[in-house]
């Protein structure tokens, strides 16, 4: 299966470099590029990509957050991954709230980028390692609503791991993973993985 990708960034050199990087993968195909939010909306309508990689800063006009909002209002597809240099908690929360599936920093390892794109079309959220690490550090503070194990598991959700992969990483059974997830969802008042990540960021990262 080939995954079609739209690149949205106002810097040609970034788009060129990312196109070349993704071109090394047999299953990733950059089918269009856009330099602004307005161009991105038109390109999605014209090309129907599977995944959009969206910068947050797009110069004059519509920024990345508003572009994501507009895309989500029009269609549940494609999956949207933020690809940016901005890593503040506020930016992350705004992007995920707007409808982004994942949040990648531009210094992410190639394998992280490839995994995020492939996971996005399967409905998996993904965040760059520094972003996920900061979320974990915030959640594991004493007195937080989540236990240390629940906080660790929630942090790993940002890597897009399945229940089986979570059980292997944490050396626990899949049944125990499901129990922890149920407790996390109940404590945060959510019912999906994406909502759990967003809620945790909002509560812990913007205090």
């Amino acid at each position: 299966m080939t995954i079609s990708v739209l690149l949205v960034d106002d810097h040609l050199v970034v788009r060129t470099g990312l196109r070349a990087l993704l071109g090394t993968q047999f299953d990733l195909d950059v089918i269009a590029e856009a330099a602004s939010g307005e161009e991105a909306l038109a390109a999605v309508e014209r090309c129907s990509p599977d995944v959009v990689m969206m910068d947050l800063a797009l110069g004059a006009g519509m920024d990345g957050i508003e572009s994501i909002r507009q895309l989500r209002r029009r269609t549940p597809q494609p999956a949207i991954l933020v690809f940016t240099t901005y890593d503040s908690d506020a930016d992350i929360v705004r992007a995920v709230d707007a409808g982004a599936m994942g949040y990648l920093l531009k210094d992410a390892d190639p394998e992280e980028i490839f995994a995020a794109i492939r996971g996005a079309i399967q409905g998996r959220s993904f965040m760059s390692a520094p972003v996920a690490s900061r979320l974990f550090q915030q959640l594991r503070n004493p007195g937080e609503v989540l236990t240390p194990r629940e906080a660790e598991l929630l942090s790993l959700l940002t890597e897009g791991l399945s229940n089986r992969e979570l059980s292997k990483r944490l050396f626990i059974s899949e049944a125990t993973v499901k129990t922890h997830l149920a407790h996390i969802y109940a404590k945060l008042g959510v019912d999906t993985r994406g909502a759990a990540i967003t809620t945790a960021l909002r509560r812990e990262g913007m205090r």
Side-chain angles (χ1 to χ4, degrees):
M1 173 184 175
T2 299
I3 303 170
S4 58
V5 182
L6 165 65
L7 306 181
V8 186
D9 197 294
D10 60 338
H11 291 96
L12 176 59
V13 67
V14 174
R15 300 198 308 272
T16 301
L18 188 54
R19 175 186 281 272
L21 177 65
L22 299 185
T24 65
Q25 304 299 296
F26 74 93
D27 60 335
L28 305 181
D29 181 24
V30 177
I31 60 171
E33 298 180 17
S36 68
E38 291 80 4
E39 289 182 14
L41 296 181
V44 169
E45 185 172 347
R46 182 177 68 253
C47 303
S48 299
D50 297 315
V51 177
V52 174
M53 297 196 70
M54 177 81 69
D55 192 9
L56 295 185
L58 297 174
M62 188 184 302
D63 66 8
I65 297 294
E66 184 57 30
S67 300
I68 296 170
R69 289 197 188 101
Q70 291 292 335
L71 283 173
R72 284 288 78 100
R73 287 170 185 161
R74 298 183 182 193
T75 175
Q77 299 296 329
I80 302 173
L81 295 174
V82 170
F83 188 64
T84 187
T85 58
Y86 298 96
D87 64 349
S88 74
D89 294 331
D91 286 324
I92 298 166
V93 170
R94 289 173 63 229
V96 175
D97 276 345
M101 178 66 68
Y103 201 101
L104 292 164
L105 301 182
K106 287 185 177 178
D107 61 356
D109 291 336
E111 291 304 321
E112 280 190 313
I113 297 173
F114 303 150
I117 294 173
R118 291 169 180 142
I121 64 169
Q122 300 174 5
R124 295 184 180 183
S125 298
F126 193 98
M127 291 187 183
S128 283
V131 176
S133 176
R134 190 170 66 250
L135 171 62
F136 176 50
Q137 292 300 322
Q138 292 166 345
L139 288 173
R140 68 197 295 263
N141 290 334
E144 297 299 342
V145 64
L146 301 181
T147 67
R149 176 62 93 183
E150 290 166 353
E152 183 180 14
L153 193 150
L154 179 55
S155 178
L156 290 175
L157 289 184
T158 64
E159 297 183 24
L161 301 181
S162 66
N163 285 357
R164 177 173 296 179
E165 291 166 332
L166 287 168
S167 70
K168 291 181 179 178
R169 181 75 68 87
L170 298 174
F171 302 102
I172 58 178
S173 69
E174 285 189 59
T176 301
V177 168
K178 292 178 182 178
T179 298
H180 284 313
L181 287 175
H183 291 164
I184 291 169
Y185 294 169
K187 289 179 178 180
L188 297 181
V190 300
D191 56 10
T192 67
R193 295 182 179 214
I197 294 169
T198 303
T199 301
L201 281 167
R202 186 184 300 113
R203 291 185 180 183
E204 308 299 334
M206 298 184 65
R207 296 193 305 174

